Amino acid sequence: MLIEILTPFLIFMAAEELGVNGILAVVAAGIAHSFNYKKMNPEVAKAESCI
């Protein structure tokens, strides 16, 4: 759980060090994470396999 809380801050800090917009980097990472979460969620995978 701690990693889930700290990840956006780490992404923001890394993006700012690279000279890109940290806020946009965090938003993009959140969107990418939500796509991967749907694929890896066992409840969703189980429901999709029944269809």
Side-chain angles (χ1 to χ4, degrees):
M1 183 195 271
L2 183 61
I3 291 174
E4 290 180 10
I5 294 171
L6 290 179
T7 302
F9 295 112
L10 296 175
I11 292 171
F12 178 83
M13 297 301 289
E16 290 293 323
E17 284 293 320
L18 293 172
V20 297
N21 191 333
I23 300 296
L24 293 179
V26 171
V27 171
I31 291 171
H33 176 71
S34 71
F35 286 135
N36 286 336
Y37 181 74
K38 289 178 185 176
K39 291 179 185 177
M40 295 174 55
N41 188 353
E43 294 173 0
V44 173
K46 189 175 183 181
E48 289 177 0
S49 64
C50 295
I51 295 176

